Amino acid sequence: MAELTFADYDTDGFFDEMFLPNGTPRQGAERLIERINDLPPGELRARQQSIESALLRMGITFTVYGDDAGTEKIFPFDVIPRIVQASDWRHIEAGLKQRITALNRFLDDIYHDQLIVQEGLIPREMLDKAKSFRPECVGLKPPGGIWCHITGTDLVRHSDGAIYVLEDNLRCPSGVSYVLQNRLVMKRSFPVAFAASEVRPVVNYPTQLFHTLSSVAPHGKPDPTVVVLTPGIYNSAYYEHSFLAQQMGVELVQGEDLVVENNRVYMFTTDGLAQVDVIYRRIDDDFLDPECFRKDSMLGVPGLMNAYREGNVALCNAPGTGVADDKVIYAYVPEMIRFYLRQEPILPNVPTYICQREEDRKYVLAHLDELVVKAANEAGGYGMLIGPHSTVEEQRDFARRIEADPRNYIAQPTLSLSRVPTVVGDHFEGRHVDLRPYVLYGGDSVWVLPGGLTRVALKKGSLVVNSSQGGGSKDTWVIDGRPTDASETDAAM
């Protein structure tokens, strides 16, 4: 079997996360590269195949709706990790903490005094036309004033070397289960390189998540009953829902497993009803409570919002948080940081054109072949036009959509995303990546999982990293400069 090394790897002029332009390894990547180059011929591919078999046996899947070839898929995985230097991570971590703090202040403000609107920093029409703004949540007071407890923020690195925020995911951020499982199989396959590279651990995420959820229990209850609420087995992230519940040691429930009596939430058990204190809900607002939101929903729990308003149960994330990941509202996050925190943003947004603004809309319509256009409330790579890779007919279609509903669209320059070496047949090729770190906000502290989910566009030249669009994942190694935490062991997983 042919040898697979980095000897002929070419960065092709892109920012590469593992190599400098002259082919020298970046700081923190030296030991991994040395180890891979020293492997016997065929060994790396054998380990890749071993990992893929392990992931298949472990049933690590996601669901693609409407795929004729089958809905349940194995998440593709590439054996070469993404390396994040300690200095880069410190910058990212500080920026994420600043951002989620401002977003929570924004959510509390717009459901109460709306000072940021009164000050004219966010036009009222942008808020009034936000589909995910919930009038039912006006005046709500979540425990500790925290609306968003779990966030996944998408980051990209451009050719200038800077890290940019691509979007915030505050409703039901998914993917952290793949981070934990990717790490498990990588540690088993590369124990020597992993230990030598001094990688920061991720294994304690379920513990941190449980502590975050428990911290917002009603009335400060010291030993609360926490559950994960899932829409069921046909949801795209059902694997993750069940995984997180199992890792935290709490019940995974569906709406039919819960009942509200006297504005308190109870779970059916073999010993009768048991009161529930905290719900990590993975159901969208629309389906959470048919007495408050969609009347035809069979997924939620009737009366749940009344129990929440009475302070007898905590919902994480709080209902109404989705307005903060509207892609139009995203454009105003730097202003939120300046307004609420009196600070300059640490992590910049990608420059964004808001099609509701006439001047921006004219520019977007005249440059559709150059820009990335996104619908305000779509996710997973849907409702998006990548101008340089689009046809004239696709551009005309999006022009019609924008003119019909300009509030629903933004546009951004096409970034030159950074790349990471990826196994392609018998050699390495660079593939574009993004990064989704996970942020937990509970009590009076914000905690960021070191690393996050690196998504990779497996198709050559593609910039679309979403799993539903053919993307895969990589392990993310944040180099700490300290010995690996002894608590991160396979047994601990």
Side-chain angles (χ1 to χ4, degrees), residues 387-408:
H389 297 171
S390 65
T391 65
V392 172
E393 183 52 40
E394 288 170 334
Q395 292 165 26
R396 288 173 180 159
D397 175 48
F398 265 77
R400 287 190 290 268
R401 297 190 200 186
I402 292 169
E403 288 171 336
D405 186 8
R407 166 59 179 80
N408 196 42

Side-chain angles (χ1 to χ4, degrees), residues 134 136-137 140 171-172 227-231 253-256 258-260 265 279-309 313-321:
R134 305 294 180 188
E136 301 88 347
C137 297
L140 281 180
R171 276 173 277 197
C172 297
V227 300
V228 176
L229 176 60
T230 176
V253 299
Q254 295 182 225
E256 62 192 21
L258 303 177
V259 63
V260 176
V265 181
I279 299 176
Y280 178 23
R281 54 97 175 197
R282 298 296 295 258
I283 294 179
D284 288 342
D285 290 349
D286 280 341
F287 307 102
L288 201 54
D289 177 357
E291 293 182 359
C292 184
F293 299 112
R294 278 185 57 161
K295 309 301 182 189
D296 60 343
S297 172
M298 303 292 287
L299 299 176
V301 186
L304 181 58
M305 284 297 290
N306 281 338
Y308 181 63
R309 289 192 186 95
V313 69
L315 296 175
C316 301
N317 293 327
T321 52

Side-chain angles (χ1 to χ4, degrees), residues 142-304:
I146 301 172
W147 288 75
C148 185
H149 313 84
I150 303 107
T151 313
T153 300
D154 292 342
L155 307 175
V156 294
R157 192 196 296 273
H158 187 37
S159 56
D160 60 3
I163 300 287
Y164 292 86
V165 178
L166 193 60
E167 62 183 51
D168 305 287
N169 300 282
L170 284 83
R171 276 173 277 197
C172 297
S174 62
V176 73
S177 58
Y178 304 116
V179 175
L180 302 178
Q181 297 290 38
N182 288 350
R183 176 60 54 84
L184 176 65
V185 295
M186 281 296 287
K187 283 191 68 176
R188 288 176 175 171
S189 298
F190 295 91
V192 176
F194 187 88
S197 297
E198 299 176 349
V199 182
R200 290 188 62 179
V202 299
V203 71
N204 57 343
Y205 178 84
T207 301
Q208 292 284 353
L209 176 61
F210 183 78
H211 288 161
T212 298
L213 297 172
S214 299
S215 72
V216 295
H219 318 299
K221 191 173 181 178
D223 187 21
T225 297
V226 177
V227 300
V228 176
L229 176 60
T230 176
I233 60 173
Y234 297 109
N235 184 268
S236 62
Y238 179 75
Y239 165 77
E240 176 157 297
H241 305 164
S242 59
F243 175 82
L244 291 176
Q246 187 270 334
Q247 289 291 306
M248 288 191 291
V250 305
E251 295 290 337
L252 177 70
V253 299
Q254 295 182 225
E256 62 192 21
D257 300 319
L258 303 177
V259 63
V260 176
E261 293 185 357
N262 298 319
N263 289 332
R264 298 180 187 277
V265 181
Y266 295 91
M267 170 173 54
F268 293 106
T269 76
T270 54
D271 295 324
L273 295 179
Q275 187 170 350
V276 173
D277 303 301
V278 182
I279 299 176
Y280 178 23
R281 54 97 175 197
R282 298 296 295 258
I283 294 179
D284 288 342
D285 290 349
D286 280 341
F287 307 102
L288 201 54
D289 177 357
E291 293 182 359
C292 184
F293 299 112
R294 278 185 57 161
K295 309 301 182 189
D296 60 343
S297 172
M298 303 292 287
L299 299 176
V301 186
L304 181 58

Side-chain angles (χ1 to χ4, degrees), residues 372-391:
V372 176
V373 182
K374 299 177 181 177
N377 290 289
E378 295 282 357
Y382 297 102
M384 187 165 71
L385 175 80
I386 299 181
H389 297 171
S390 65
T391 65

Side-chain angles (χ1 to χ4, degrees), residues 82 84 89 92 153-155 433-437 451-454 476:
R82 177 198 186 135
V84 180
W89 182 252
I92 290 171
T153 300
D154 292 342
L155 307 175
V433 294
D434 76 353
L435 177 62
R436 176 177 291 178
L453 180 66
T454 289
T476 308

Side-chain angles (χ1 to χ4, degrees), residues 102-161:
L103 281 165
N104 268 282
R105 295 278 294 274
F106 164 73
L107 286 163
D108 202 57
D109 182 26
I110 61 161
Y111 285 116
H112 291 92
D113 300 327
Q114 299 193 347
L115 296 177
I116 198 167
V117 177
Q118 294 181 36
E119 291 290 329
L121 297 175
I122 295 181
R124 178 163 293 284
E125 63 179 337
M126 298 298 180
L127 192 59
D128 289 345
K129 294 182 178 179
K131 295 178 181 177
S132 48
F133 179 80
R134 305 294 180 188
E136 301 88 347
C137 297
V138 171
L140 281 180
K141 295 184 182 299
I146 301 172
W147 288 75
C148 185
H149 313 84
I150 303 107
T151 313
T153 300
D154 292 342
L155 307 175
V156 294
R157 192 196 296 273
H158 187 37
S159 56
D160 60 3

